Amino acid sequence: MKYYKLILLMVAVTVTMGSCKKFLDINSNPVNPQEPNAEYMLAPIIFQMANGTSQDYAQLFRMLQYWGGTTASNVWERHSYDQASDAGGVIWRMTYINHGRNLEDVINDGIKNQKYEFAGIGYAIKAWSYQMATDLHGPIILDSAFDPKLLAFPYQDQPEVYQRVREWTQLSLKYLNMKSPIDYSGLLRSSSGDGIYGGDLNKWKKFNYALLALQYSHLVNKPEFKTSYADSVIKYVDLSFANSSEDATIYFTASNSSDGNPFGPSYGVITSTTNGRISQSIVSLLTGGVRGTAPVDTTASVDPRLTRMLTPLSTGVYRGNIPTKGTGTTSAPHVLGNLSGTPATYTGKYIFSDKARYPLMSYAQLQFAKAEAQFLKGDKAAAYATYLGAIRAHMSFVNTYGRNGTTNGIQDPAIQEPEIAAYLTSKEVAQNSGELTIADIMQQKYIAQWGWAGLEQWCDLRKYHYNPEVFRTFYQLNTTELHPFNNGKFAYRFRPRYNSEYVWNEKELEKWGGLKTSYMTDETWFSKKP
């Protein structure tokens, strides 16, 4: 990767100089100590969890049909990529550079100096980061990521990465259960500390369990799923979040544009008027398309989430973007709400406001994963009860996160119990376990993950191989609408980061087929059938 090569080159040049010992012996100066302190590094690492994912989600959400653009034939909506560009490579950069050695230093300092809270949180973030990277790219750099002797970095495939993620979660739990001799709870609660849980270590333990539950839920096509992995999903969901108040979310003060939700109006990730147009896929799911046929250009729905999550046209009509077709600037609303003037005048809607928390994992999505595992095991009665609870949980999510953004944000009225009851007894919800289908569960999970859980949603689409019987409102691109690079196939992976891999690590990419223009359509291990 380019950054490591530059550093190695600098060191190599320095070693040839007569004063090399003094130059490298930087830790001998007590006035200018160079030992990293975990307590000062955690906050920016947590910020990168939001920044890194949001940058790639701006492209991935086009593939997922969360949103689209006003111009036709966008490459991402066609399941392809921007050539010679780092677009789609920011999670890669987050994992190896933004987190990279910084996160290793947090963990090492935590262990060496008995700051066990930081070691435990560090391992949890590391497990999450590598899980995100492999679910986006497939094979990634694992064992040799920070080997200073290397100028090129070998990849390892998903089975090894998945196993290592499990090992790191166990190390995280080990250190979270250990008592540090110094109390760091006050620092972790501060604005420069733990921006996810404020130092609540029990919730960080649940974060690990949530990550494991979602990882096992990806493996529905493996022979072991019904006999083993489904039970792991259920077990770890039950050990994870107890309700929506324990969701893993990143807090922002919105005191300035650099301390705001990346998907808010001020940060700039989605303020382009040519992108971020609500897709018809989510409009249809919220207006009758889960089990029926959604009406065209409706102004109301039995689903109370419609008005809280989406913005209508000025006429009151709810309408969405059709992938690859493009829209005029007024024919499909923007996720930020009404657009006018400069970004400062945009209105934030739902979780798209400056002060809104940035979700990483939620109780609702985990409950849907549990319902899916129970259904595939054959326990439809248990699956049905979990499914109903998961729908309620997402109503709570909407009330919690859709109403907390007071900076450049719209606070819609909370969903009330009569509205929830009316929806649960409607035709859009299975009325008994005998009616329940996998499509009921996965489409409700799509609603619950819309607008934030990009990689988990892409895992769902890929493990069911974009099946239109499971995802009824997902627009099925034909061979003309898919990019010519794709040979008529949907995408299953992002290409690795251009500037670190295609510029510096080409030989390794060639081993994995990464030089093919169709590489994005190669199916990754987790979704493959035997």
Side-chain angles (χ1 to χ4, degrees):
M1 297 185 292
K2 183 171 71 172
Y3 286 77
Y4 295 137
K5 293 189 78 172
L6 290 173
I7 292 169
L8 288 168
L9 179 61
M10 291 170 62
V11 172
V13 170
T14 305
V15 168
T16 66
M17 300 167 60
S19 59
C20 68
K21 183 179 186 302
K22 290 184 179 180
F23 183 90
L24 295 174
D25 194 13
I26 56 176
N27 288 314
S28 63
N29 184 354
V31 179
N32 184 30
Q34 299 298 312
E35 289 290 340
N37 291 312
E39 55 266 41
Y40 302 124
M41 302 173 71
L42 183 60
I45 284 172
I46 286 175
F47 168 76
Q48 289 299 335
M49 297 170 78
N51 182 61
T53 53
S54 66
Q55 302 284 339
D56 278 354
Y57 282 178
Q59 322 306 330
L60 179 60
F61 283 7
R62 289 178 179 264
M63 286 187 180
L64 303 182
Q65 299 176 13
Y66 279 8
W67 63 46
T70 58
T71 56
S73 298
N74 175 271
V75 291
W76 296 97
E77 291 176 40
R78 302 182 76 186
H79 282 233
S80 193
Y81 63 97
D82 290 316
Q83 297 183 62
S85 166
D86 279 344
V90 186
I91 287 175
W92 189 280
R93 178 186 171 89
M94 173 193 75
T95 302
Y96 299 113
I97 299 175
N98 299 121
H99 284 177
R101 287 297 322 179
N102 300 312
L103 188 52
E104 298 300 305
D105 287 341
V106 167
I107 294 169
N108 293 335
D109 182 42
I111 296 171
K112 177 181 176 181
N113 295 307
Q114 296 180 294
K115 305 171 185 177
Y116 299 127
E117 304 94 323
F118 294 94
I121 293 171
Y123 268 122
I125 294 174
K126 183 175 182 178
W128 172 89
S129 183
Y130 277 76
Q131 186 70 54
M132 298 291 281
T134 192
D135 285 337
L136 188 63
H137 297 288
I140 61 172
I141 303 166
L142 185 60
D143 290 334
S144 62
F146 308 112
D147 188 336
K149 299 185 298 296
L150 296 179
L151 297 179
F153 298 83
Y155 299 162
Q156 289 165 259
D157 207 355
Q158 283 194 307
E160 291 179 88
V161 183
Y162 269 47
Q163 180 58 40
R164 194 66 52 79
V165 165
R166 295 169 196 166
E167 292 171 8
W168 288 331
T169 60
Q170 297 308 309
L171 285 170
S172 174
L173 292 167
K174 170 187 172 181
Y175 289 112
L176 290 170
N177 283 321
M178 294 173 67
K179 182 69 173 177
S180 298
I182 297 176
D183 182 4
Y184 291 99
S185 60
L187 189 148
L188 287 168
R189 284 195 301 269
S190 73
S191 59
S192 60
D194 174 9
I196 296 178
Y197 287 130
D200 188 329
L201 302 187
N202 284 326
K203 289 180 181 177
W204 275 107
K205 294 174 189 177
K206 294 183 178 186
F207 180 99
N208 282 296
Y209 294 132
L211 183 62
L212 288 169
L214 293 177
Q215 189 202 76
Y216 280 110
S217 77
H218 299 168
L219 305 177
V220 299
N221 292 310
K222 304 306 178 189
E224 303 93 338
F225 188 80
K226 289 184 179 180
T227 59
S228 177
Y229 297 157
D231 288 332
S232 294
V233 175
I234 296 165
K235 169 188 172 181
Y236 287 121
V237 168
D238 289 346
L239 288 170
S240 69
F241 312 146
N243 51 56
S244 294
S245 71
E246 297 185 334
D247 293 349
T249 59
I250 300 176
Y251 289 73
F252 298 95
T253 66
S255 58
N256 56 68
S257 61
S258 62
D259 187 22
N261 177 4
F263 279 162
S266 299
Y267 196 83
V269 173
I270 58 170
T271 51
S272 168
T273 59
T274 61
N275 193 12
R277 301 289 170 160
I278 298 167
S279 172
Q280 186 60 42
S281 297
I282 185 63
V283 173
S284 294
L285 286 174
L286 292 171
T287 58
V290 176
R291 306 194 95 227
T293 301
V296 177
D297 288 353
T298 186
T299 59
S301 173
V302 69
D303 193 331
R305 295 170 291 186
L306 174 68
T307 58
R308 278 76 168 188
M309 293 172 64
L310 306 183
T311 298
L313 297 170
S314 59
T315 59
V317 165
Y318 287 90
R319 184 186 301 159
N321 171 279
I322 304 297
T324 77
K325 303 305 180 186
T327 62
T329 57
T330 59
S331 59
H334 199 281
V335 294
L336 287 174
N338 299 316
L339 297 182
S340 61
T342 63
T345 64
Y346 292 5
T347 55
K349 177 76 172 178
Y350 185 40
I351 54 175
F352 304 107
S353 67
D354 291 335
K355 203 173 182 180
R357 299 181 226 171
Y358 187 92
L360 299 173
M361 291 186 286
S362 80
Y363 172 75
Q365 78 174 163
L366 288 162
Q367 291 301 306
F368 283 118
K370 179 180 177 180
E372 176 193 25
Q374 291 168 326
F375 183 91
L376 295 176
K377 272 193 68 176
D379 191 350
K380 292 187 68 174
Y384 181 68
T386 305
Y387 153 82
L388 292 178
I391 295 173
R392 279 189 170 277
H394 187 244
M395 300 285 183
S396 176
F397 179 98
V398 172
N399 283 345
T400 300
Y401 304 115
R403 305 187 72 249
N404 65 0
T406 57
T407 302
N408 283 341
I410 298 172
Q411 280 203 332
D412 289 305
I415 300 172
Q416 302 298 319
E417 178 57 35
E419 297 176 277
I420 299 174
Y423 181 69
L424 291 176
T425 56
S426 74
K427 294 180 180 179
E428 281 294 271
V429 177
Q431 295 303 300
N432 55 63
S433 61
E435 287 184 13
L436 186 66
T437 66
I438 196 64
D440 289 318
I441 296 169
M442 300 312 297
Q443 290 181 122
Q444 288 289 346
K445 191 182 180 194
Y446 185 103
I447 295 171
Q449 295 182 151
W450 180 82
W452 65 275
L455 267 172
E456 188 59 26
Q457 186 54 55
W458 202 24
C459 287
D460 289 342
L461 284 162
R462 289 178 290 171
K463 73 188 184 187
Y464 287 104
H465 302 95
Y466 297 92
N467 188 339
E469 294 182 3
V470 177
F471 300 99
R472 298 179 63 242
T473 69
F474 191 83
Y475 184 79
Q476 295 289 318
L477 301 172
N478 60 39
T479 54
T480 302
E481 293 164 330
L482 289 163
H483 196 278
F485 287 167
N486 293 45
N487 298 321
K489 299 177 182 179
F490 284 101
Y492 277 84
R493 67 180 74 193
F494 270 21
R495 292 157 65 90
R497 184 171 181 266
Y498 176 75
N499 271 304
S500 65
E501 305 308 302
Y502 284 89
V503 174
W504 299 99
N505 210 16
E506 186 178 66
K507 287 186 178 179
E508 183 63 22
L509 279 166
E510 188 175 19
K511 295 178 185 177
W512 297 87
L515 303 186
K516 299 184 301 181
T517 56
S518 63
Y519 183 59
M520 285 183 72
T521 67
D522 288 357
E523 189 171 353
T524 50
W525 166 81
F526 83 84
S527 66
K528 287 182 178 179
K529 297 181 179 180

mmCIF file of all heavy atoms in Angstrom, residues 362-389:
data_model
loop_
_atom_site.group_PDB
_atom_site.id
_atom_site.type_symbol
_atom_site.label_atom_id
_atom_site.label_comp_id
_atom_site.label_asym_id
_atom_site.label_seq_id
_atom_site.Cartn_x
_atom_site.Cartn_y
_atom_site.Cartn_z
ATOM 1 N N SER A 362 -28.151 -2.652 15.127
ATOM 2 C CA SER A 362 -29.369 -2.339 15.878
ATOM 3 C C SER A 362 -30.045 -3.594 16.422
ATOM 4 O O SER A 362 -29.906 -4.688 15.867
ATOM 5 C CB SER A 362 -30.360 -1.561 15.001
ATOM 6 O OG SER A 362 -31.069 -2.427 14.142
ATOM 7 N N TYR A 363 -30.774 -3.396 17.495
ATOM 8 C CA TYR A 363 -31.588 -4.459 18.093
ATOM 9 C C TYR A 363 -32.580 -5.003 17.079
ATOM 10 O O TYR A 363 -32.768 -6.225 16.968
ATOM 11 C CB TYR A 363 -32.310 -3.909 19.320
ATOM 12 C CG TYR A 363 -33.337 -4.837 19.923
ATOM 13 C CD1 TYR A 363 -32.950 -5.946 20.674
ATOM 14 C CD2 TYR A 363 -34.706 -4.599 19.758
ATOM 15 C CE1 TYR A 363 -33.892 -6.800 21.242
ATOM 16 C CE2 TYR A 363 -35.656 -5.439 20.323
ATOM 17 C CZ TYR A 363 -35.248 -6.544 21.059
ATOM 18 O OH TYR A 363 -36.185 -7.380 21.611
ATOM 19 N N ALA A 364 -33.221 -4.126 16.312
ATOM 20 C CA ALA A 364 -34.230 -4.565 15.345
ATOM 21 C C ALA A 364 -33.628 -5.487 14.295
ATOM 22 O O ALA A 364 -34.188 -6.546 13.987
ATOM 23 C CB ALA A 364 -34.896 -3.351 14.681
ATOM 24 N N GLN A 365 -32.487 -5.101 13.699
ATOM 25 C CA GLN A 365 -31.904 -5.939 12.654
ATOM 26 C C GLN A 365 -31.494 -7.296 13.212
ATOM 27 O O GLN A 365 -31.623 -8.326 12.544
ATOM 28 C CB GLN A 365 -30.711 -5.244 11.981
ATOM 29 C CG GLN A 365 -29.436 -5.263 12.751
ATOM 30 C CD GLN A 365 -28.220 -4.697 12.047
ATOM 31 O OE1 GLN A 365 -27.254 -4.399 12.718
ATOM 32 N NE2 GLN A 365 -28.210 -4.529 10.742
ATOM 33 N N LEU A 366 -31.028 -7.316 14.462
ATOM 34 C CA LEU A 366 -30.644 -8.578 15.085
ATOM 35 C C LEU A 366 -31.849 -9.477 15.322
ATOM 36 O O LEU A 366 -31.769 -10.704 15.157
ATOM 37 C CB LEU A 366 -29.918 -8.302 16.402
ATOM 38 C CG LEU A 366 -28.512 -7.728 16.255
ATOM 39 C CD1 LEU A 366 -28.049 -7.099 17.556
ATOM 40 C CD2 LEU A 366 -27.529 -8.798 15.802
ATOM 41 N N GLN A 367 -32.971 -8.883 15.689
ATOM 42 C CA GLN A 367 -34.173 -9.679 15.877
ATOM 43 C C GLN A 367 -34.653 -10.278 14.559
ATOM 44 O O GLN A 367 -35.122 -11.422 14.517
ATOM 45 C CB GLN A 367 -35.266 -8.829 16.523
ATOM 46 C CG GLN A 367 -34.975 -8.450 17.967
ATOM 47 C CD GLN A 367 -34.781 -9.658 18.867
ATOM 48 O OE1 GLN A 367 -35.628 -10.539 18.938
ATOM 49 N NE2 GLN A 367 -33.642 -9.690 19.564
ATOM 50 N N PHE A 368 -34.530 -9.539 13.483
ATOM 51 C CA PHE A 368 -34.869 -10.114 12.176
ATOM 52 C C PHE A 368 -33.902 -11.240 11.804
ATOM 53 O O PHE A 368 -34.313 -12.248 11.211
ATOM 54 C CB PHE A 368 -34.869 -9.032 11.095
ATOM 55 C CG PHE A 368 -36.099 -8.157 11.113
ATOM 56 C CD1 PHE A 368 -35.995 -6.802 11.343
ATOM 57 C CD2 PHE A 368 -37.355 -8.703 10.902
ATOM 58 C CE1 PHE A 368 -37.120 -5.984 11.366
ATOM 59 C CE2 PHE A 368 -38.490 -7.905 10.926
ATOM 60 C CZ PHE A 368 -38.376 -6.535 11.162
ATOM 61 N N ALA A 369 -32.621 -11.096 12.134
ATOM 62 C CA ALA A 369 -31.661 -12.174 11.888
ATOM 63 C C ALA A 369 -32.033 -13.422 12.684
ATOM 64 O O ALA A 369 -31.920 -14.556 12.202
ATOM 65 C CB ALA A 369 -30.246 -11.710 12.236
ATOM 66 N N LYS A 370 -32.495 -13.215 13.913
ATOM 67 C CA LYS A 370 -32.928 -14.337 14.745
ATOM 68 C C LYS A 370 -34.172 -14.996 14.151
ATOM 69 O O LYS A 370 -34.252 -16.232 14.077
ATOM 70 C CB LYS A 370 -33.219 -13.853 16.160
ATOM 71 C CG LYS A 370 -33.710 -14.933 17.107
ATOM 72 C CD LYS A 370 -33.983 -14.363 18.496
ATOM 73 C CE LYS A 370 -34.557 -15.417 19.441
ATOM 74 N NZ LYS A 370 -34.823 -14.848 20.790
ATOM 75 N N ALA A 371 -35.129 -14.189 13.707
ATOM 76 C CA ALA A 371 -36.341 -14.746 13.096
ATOM 77 C C ALA A 371 -35.999 -15.557 11.852
ATOM 78 O O ALA A 371 -36.565 -16.633 11.615
ATOM 79 C CB ALA A 371 -37.308 -13.610 12.742
ATOM 80 N N GLU A 372 -35.058 -15.047 11.058
ATOM 81 C CA GLU A 372 -34.615 -15.769 9.865
ATOM 82 C C GLU A 372 -34.017 -17.121 10.247
ATOM 83 O O GLU A 372 -34.334 -18.157 9.622
ATOM 84 C CB GLU A 372 -33.590 -14.917 9.118
ATOM 85 C CG GLU A 372 -32.970 -15.590 7.915
ATOM 86 C CD GLU A 372 -31.757 -14.840 7.396
ATOM 87 O OE1 GLU A 372 -31.119 -14.103 8.177
ATOM 88 O OE2 GLU A 372 -31.420 -15.018 6.213
ATOM 89 N N ALA A 373 -33.145 -17.137 11.257
ATOM 90 C CA ALA A 373 -32.504 -18.391 11.679
ATOM 91 C C ALA A 373 -33.552 -19.377 12.189
ATOM 92 O O ALA A 373 -33.494 -20.580 11.878
ATOM 93 C CB ALA A 373 -31.465 -18.102 12.758
ATOM 94 N N GLN A 374 -34.499 -18.905 12.981
ATOM 95 C CA GLN A 374 -35.553 -19.787 13.492
ATOM 96 C C GLN A 374 -36.396 -20.335 12.356
ATOM 97 O O GLN A 374 -36.751 -21.521 12.345
ATOM 98 C CB GLN A 374 -36.422 -19.016 14.480
ATOM 99 C CG GLN A 374 -35.718 -18.665 15.782
ATOM 100 C CD GLN A 374 -36.485 -17.664 16.616
ATOM 101 O OE1 GLN A 374 -37.150 -16.767 16.091
ATOM 102 N NE2 GLN A 374 -36.407 -17.802 17.940
ATOM 103 N N PHE A 375 -36.709 -19.493 11.378
ATOM 104 C CA PHE A 375 -37.524 -19.934 10.235
ATOM 105 C C PHE A 375 -36.788 -21.004 9.442
ATOM 106 O O PHE A 375 -37.366 -22.045 9.091
ATOM 107 C CB PHE A 375 -37.843 -18.727 9.349
ATOM 108 C CG PHE A 375 -38.730 -19.052 8.182
ATOM 109 C CD1 PHE A 375 -40.108 -18.949 8.288
ATOM 110 C CD2 PHE A 375 -38.190 -19.462 6.967
ATOM 111 C CE1 PHE A 375 -40.930 -19.263 7.211
ATOM 112 C CE2 PHE A 375 -38.996 -19.767 5.882
ATOM 113 C CZ PHE A 375 -40.376 -19.664 6.006
ATOM 114 N N LEU A 376 -35.515 -20.777 9.134
ATOM 115 C CA LEU A 376 -34.753 -21.732 8.335
ATOM 116 C C LEU A 376 -34.502 -23.038 9.079
ATOM 117 O O LEU A 376 -34.331 -24.090 8.461
ATOM 118 C CB LEU A 376 -33.433 -21.110 7.883
ATOM 119 C CG LEU A 376 -33.560 -19.912 6.923
ATOM 120 C CD1 LEU A 376 -32.189 -19.326 6.617
ATOM 121 C CD2 LEU A 376 -34.270 -20.314 5.637
ATOM 122 N N LYS A 377 -34.495 -22.980 10.408
ATOM 123 C CA LYS A 377 -34.390 -24.206 11.210
ATOM 124 C C LYS A 377 -35.680 -25.010 11.190
ATOM 125 O O LYS A 377 -35.697 -26.193 11.526
ATOM 126 C CB LYS A 377 -34.075 -23.855 12.666
ATOM 127 C CG LYS A 377 -32.615 -23.720 13.002
ATOM 128 C CD LYS A 377 -32.416 -23.691 14.506
ATOM 129 C CE LYS A 377 -32.761 -25.038 15.132
ATOM 130 N NZ LYS A 377 -32.495 -25.084 16.581
ATOM 131 N N GLY A 378 -36.772 -24.354 10.835
ATOM 132 C CA GLY A 378 -38.068 -25.012 10.817
ATOM 133 C C GLY A 378 -38.959 -24.679 11.995
ATOM 134 O O GLY A 378 -40.074 -25.215 12.110
ATOM 135 N N ASP A 379 -38.521 -23.788 12.880
ATOM 136 C CA ASP A 379 -39.319 -23.400 14.050
ATOM 137 C C ASP A 379 -40.118 -22.146 13.697
ATOM 138 O O ASP A 379 -39.805 -21.035 14.122
ATOM 139 C CB ASP A 379 -38.406 -23.144 15.242
ATOM 140 C CG ASP A 379 -39.175 -23.004 16.544
ATOM 141 O OD1 ASP A 379 -40.420 -22.919 16.502
ATOM 142 O OD2 ASP A 379 -38.529 -22.967 17.615
ATOM 143 N N LYS A 380 -41.200 -22.341 12.941
ATOM 144 C CA LYS A 380 -41.954 -21.199 12.426
ATOM 145 C C LYS A 380 -42.718 -20.475 13.526
ATOM 146 O O LYS A 380 -42.929 -19.261 13.440
ATOM 147 C CB LYS A 380 -42.892 -21.645 11.314
ATOM 148 C CG LYS A 380 -42.162 -22.094 10.058
ATOM 149 C CD LYS A 380 -43.123 -22.360 8.902
ATOM 150 C CE LYS A 380 -43.772 -21.097 8.385
ATOM 151 N NZ LYS A 380 -44.591 -21.326 7.169
ATOM 152 N N ALA A 381 -43.115 -21.185 14.559
ATOM 153 C CA ALA A 381 -43.840 -20.528 15.652
ATOM 154 C C ALA A 381 -42.937 -19.526 16.358
ATOM 155 O O ALA A 381 -43.333 -18.375 16.630
ATOM 156 C CB ALA A 381 -44.363 -21.564 16.636
ATOM 157 N N ALA A 382 -41.721 -19.946 16.674
ATOM 158 C CA ALA A 382 -40.772 -19.032 17.310
ATOM 159 C C ALA A 382 -40.389 -17.905 16.359
ATOM 160 O O ALA A 382 -40.270 -16.741 16.771
ATOM 161 C CB ALA A 382 -39.528 -19.794 17.751
ATOM 162 N N ALA A 383 -40.199 -18.238 15.087
ATOM 163 C CA ALA A 383 -39.836 -17.220 14.099
ATOM 164 C C ALA A 383 -40.915 -16.152 13.992
ATOM 165 O O ALA A 383 -40.610 -14.957 13.878
ATOM 166 C CB ALA A 383 -39.605 -17.873 12.738
ATOM 167 N N TYR A 384 -42.176 -16.581 14.054
ATOM 168 C CA TYR A 384 -43.277 -15.623 13.922
ATOM 169 C C TYR A 384 -43.307 -14.653 15.101
ATOM 170 O O TYR A 384 -43.468 -13.441 14.921
ATOM 171 C CB TYR A 384 -44.611 -16.373 13.815
ATOM 172 C CG TYR A 384 -45.799 -15.453 13.651
ATOM 173 C CD1 TYR A 384 -45.961 -14.710 12.480
ATOM 174 C CD2 TYR A 384 -46.756 -15.325 14.661
ATOM 175 C CE1 TYR A 384 -47.044 -13.862 12.324
ATOM 176 C CE2 TYR A 384 -47.845 -14.484 14.509
ATOM 177 C CZ TYR A 384 -47.975 -13.749 13.342
ATOM 178 O OH TYR A 384 -49.051 -12.893 13.184
ATOM 179 N N ALA A 385 -43.130 -15.172 16.287
ATOM 180 C CA ALA A 385 -43.126 -14.304 17.469
ATOM 181 C C ALA A 385 -41.963 -13.311 17.402
ATOM 182 O O ALA A 385 -42.118 -12.117 17.725
ATOM 183 C CB ALA A 385 -43.034 -15.144 18.741
ATOM 184 N N THR A 386 -40.788 -13.773 16.980
ATOM 185 C CA THR A 386 -39.623 -12.890 16.872
ATOM 186 C C THR A 386 -39.844 -11.858 15.781
ATOM 187 O O THR A 386 -39.471 -10.677 15.943
ATOM 188 C CB THR A 386 -38.363 -13.716 16.583
ATOM 189 O OG1 THR A 386 -38.207 -14.724 17.579
ATOM 190 C CG2 THR A 386 -37.132 -12.825 16.571
ATOM 191 N N TYR A 387 -40.433 -12.271 14.680
ATOM 192 C CA TYR A 387 -40.724 -11.370 13.548
ATOM 193 C C TYR A 387 -41.628 -10.219 13.968
ATOM 194 O O TYR A 387 -41.352 -9.045 13.667
ATOM 195 C CB TYR A 387 -41.330 -12.219 12.432
ATOM 196 C CG TYR A 387 -42.264 -11.581 11.450
ATOM 197 C CD1 TYR A 387 -41.774 -10.856 10.353
ATOM 198 C CD2 TYR A 387 -43.648 -11.762 11.553
ATOM 199 C CE1 TYR A 387 -42.644 -10.321 9.411
ATOM 200 C CE2 TYR A 387 -44.515 -11.242 10.623
ATOM 201 C CZ TYR A 387 -44.018 -10.514 9.556
ATOM 202 O OH TYR A 387 -44.890 -9.998 8.623
ATOM 203 N N LEU A 388 -42.686 -10.519 14.714
ATOM 204 C CA LEU A 388 -43.586 -9.458 15.186
ATOM 205 C C LEU A 388 -42.842 -8.506 16.131
ATOM 206 O O LEU A 388 -42.996 -7.277 16.047
ATOM 207 C CB LEU A 388 -44.797 -10.054 15.889
ATOM 208 C CG LEU A 388 -45.785 -10.841 15.029
ATOM 209 C CD1 LEU A 388 -46.911 -11.394 15.907
ATOM 210 C CD2 LEU A 388 -46.360 -9.978 13.910
ATOM 211 N N GLY A 389 -42.035 -9.077 17.009
ATOM 212 C CA GLY A 389 -41.261 -8.245 17.921
ATOM 213 C C GLY A 389 -40.244 -7.383 17.193
ATOM 214 O O GLY A 389 -39.972 -6.245 17.606
#
